[in-house]
């Protein structure tokens, strides 16, 4: 290496590193200081800090956070078992033309041969929210088949998870997820928290959480709640058809505060149990109070801009 490599070789090569080849140089690119977002793009939608009114995480965002309130009259969007991975929650693989994401792409002029994958379209929230809980191997106890299906209550109609979530939203009904052990295991996929947040999931009640995914849920304003040791969906006799109230949020949150959950069946039976709010640090209390990490940072930037 000492005989054949000279420092000048590196200087020559790296001085042209950004020039690119002929094909790169022939690409046309817009000018200006800001990127010109294409509203018709099916790959990349408007970025949060460029067009605030277009970003789903900042729509109708008040300048000051509103205090957390109890979650009342919630329905279960999914009833899941143990070891639900982030790929079950937000798959990265192929997009079915019969799925909500596939139908959205077709409606916007994309042929199935050009669908690519969820992983390739992770810059488009319209695709990713429709792909949330759409893994074909997901087992939801509320549905009669595997995949991204669930049951809407009280109608009992079986719908895709996305369709059910949108119906609950139109009805003004908050939704939660019930799960077993190791919820959110696998890779620390950000859309596994972003997607449920956009579906309207307010809380996940599980026996345990994967460490990073629990933190990501808090960062997206979703409350991770843990059953007390020895308790679970099965031991408490829950089946996901109940209406849920999560009480104790409105009178102040603390690290690992115990909250009371009340589940009412259609027959009028009420089951009450306690859960642990897995807000593990004081800064997470702030994130949750703001509705998530993005909102927290955004408001901090606004405060600094006004004070400066």
């Amino acid at each position: 290496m000492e005989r054949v490599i000279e420092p000048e070789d590196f200087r020559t090569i790296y001085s042209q590193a950004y020039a690119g080849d002929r094909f790169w140089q022939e690409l046309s690119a817009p000018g200006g200081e800001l990127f010109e977002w294409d509203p018709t793009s099916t790959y990349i939608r408007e970025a949060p800090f460029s067009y605030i009114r277009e970003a789903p995480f900042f729509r109708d965002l008040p300048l000051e956070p509103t205090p957390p309130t109890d979650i009342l009259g919630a329905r279960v969007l999914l009833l899941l078992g143990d070891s639900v991975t982030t790929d079950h929650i937000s798959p990265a693989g192929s997009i079915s033309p019969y799925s909500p994401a596939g139908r959205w792409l077709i409606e916007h002029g994309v042929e199935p041969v050009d669908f690519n994958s969820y992983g390739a379209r992770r810059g488009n929230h319209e695709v990713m929210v429709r792909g949330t809980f759409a893994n074909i191997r997901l087992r939801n106890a509320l549905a009669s088949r595997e995949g991204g299906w669930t049951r809407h209550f009280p109608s009992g109609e079986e719908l895709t998870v996305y369709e059910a979530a949108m119906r609950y939203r139109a009805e003004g009904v908050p939704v939660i997820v019930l799960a077993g052990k190791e919820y959110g295991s696998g890779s620390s996929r950000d859309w596994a928290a972003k997607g449920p947040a956009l579906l309207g999931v307010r809380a996940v009640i599980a026996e345990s959480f994967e460490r990073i995914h629990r933190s990501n849920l808090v960062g997206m304003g979703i409350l991770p709640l843990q059953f007390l040791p020895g308790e679970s969906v099965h031991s408490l006799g829950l089946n996901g058809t109940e209406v849920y109230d999560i009480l104790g949020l409105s009178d102040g949150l603390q690290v690992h505060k115990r909250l009371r959950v009340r589940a009412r069946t259609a027959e009028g039976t009420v089951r009450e149990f306690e859960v642990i709010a897995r807000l593990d640090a004081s800064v997470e209390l702030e994130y949750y109070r703001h509705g998530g990490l993005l909102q927290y940072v955004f408001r901090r930037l606004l405060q600094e801009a006004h004070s400066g």
Side-chain angles (χ1 to χ4, degrees):
M1 291 179 65
E2 290 179 350
R3 290 196 302 270
V4 300
I5 295 179
E6 299 291 338
E8 188 58 33
D9 297 334
F10 292 92
R11 296 189 187 99
T12 301
I13 292 172
Y14 282 101
S15 67
Q16 305 173 33
Y18 293 103
D21 59 14
R22 176 174 60 88
F23 300 102
W24 174 259
Q25 294 172 1
E26 290 176 355
L27 285 175
S28 60
E33 295 182 355
L34 297 177
F35 184 83
E36 294 184 9
W37 298 99
D38 179 4
T40 65
S41 173
T42 58
Y43 273 96
I44 301 178
R45 306 299 281 183
E46 286 86 346
F49 294 103
S50 296
Y51 295 88
I52 297 173
R53 287 185 293 179
E54 294 298 326
F57 305 110
F58 301 106
R59 286 178 184 152
D60 303 320
L61 180 69
L63 293 180
E64 293 295 330
T66 56
T69 58
D70 294 343
I71 300 172
L72 304 176
R75 287 287 187 176
V76 178
L77 186 61
L78 299 106
L79 175 57
L80 306 172
D82 296 338
S83 301
V84 172
T85 70
T86 53
D87 192 65
H88 286 118
I89 304 168
S90 183
S94 60
I95 303 171
S96 167
Y98 306 105
S99 67
R103 293 198 297 268
W104 186 91
L105 288 169
I106 291 173
E107 290 170 1
H108 287 77
V110 182
E111 296 294 331
V113 69
D114 297 320
F115 276 5
N116 212 320
S117 65
Y118 285 111
R121 293 187 179 273
R122 62 193 307 275
N124 185 340
H125 63 272
E126 299 285 5
V127 172
M128 297 305 292
V129 67
R130 287 166 173 79
T132 303
F133 295 112
N135 189 305
I136 60 173
R137 292 181 176 82
L138 180 71
R139 294 183 178 181
N140 173 19
L142 297 181
S144 64
R145 45 186 160 171
E146 289 187 7
W149 296 91
T150 193
R151 198 171 297 279
H152 171 271
F153 295 102
S155 71
E157 185 178 353
E158 192 163 85
L159 305 168
T160 66
V161 172
Y162 175 77
E163 290 169 332
M166 294 304 102
R167 182 178 294 187
Y168 281 129
R169 174 175 292 177
E171 297 167 344
V173 176
V175 293
I176 64 173
V177 173
L178 299 181
K181 301 180 181 69
E182 299 175 344
Y183 181 80
S185 57
S187 61
S188 55
R189 196 165 295 177
D190 60 335
W191 270 106
K194 289 178 181 177
L198 294 183
L199 287 179
V201 173
R202 298 283 304 279
V204 177
I205 308 178
E207 293 179 60
S208 64
F209 293 88
E210 192 279 333
R211 177 177 58 88
I212 297 177
H213 184 65
R214 182 209 61 80
S215 178
N216 287 346
L217 289 175
V218 177
M220 290 311 304
I222 298 175
L223 187 61
L225 301 174
Q226 191 163 315
F227 289 109
L228 297 185
E231 294 187 347
S232 65
V233 167
H234 301 295
S235 71
L236 293 168
L238 307 173
N239 61 22
T241 65
E242 306 89 355
V243 177
Y244 285 77
D245 298 329
I246 301 173
L247 309 172
L249 294 168
S250 58
D251 57 3
L253 273 174
Q254 301 170 358
V255 171
H256 292 169
K257 181 180 180 179
R258 288 197 179 190
L259 303 176
R260 186 161 51 92
V261 179
R262 183 168 54 212
R264 303 188 307 276
T265 67
E267 296 74 27
T269 303
V270 177
R271 295 183 178 89
E272 293 197 7
F273 56 95
E274 286 190 329
V275 292
I276 302 169
R278 287 297 311 276
L279 300 172
D280 293 356
S282 57
V283 69
E284 291 188 341
L285 296 174
E286 279 296 290
Y287 294 162
Y288 183 74
R289 187 175 70 87
H290 279 263
L293 176 59
L294 295 176
Q295 294 84 344
Y296 171 81
V297 172
F298 187 58
R299 289 190 177 104
R300 289 284 298 271
L301 291 173
L302 286 178
Q303 291 173 358
E304 291 174 4
H306 290 159
S307 63

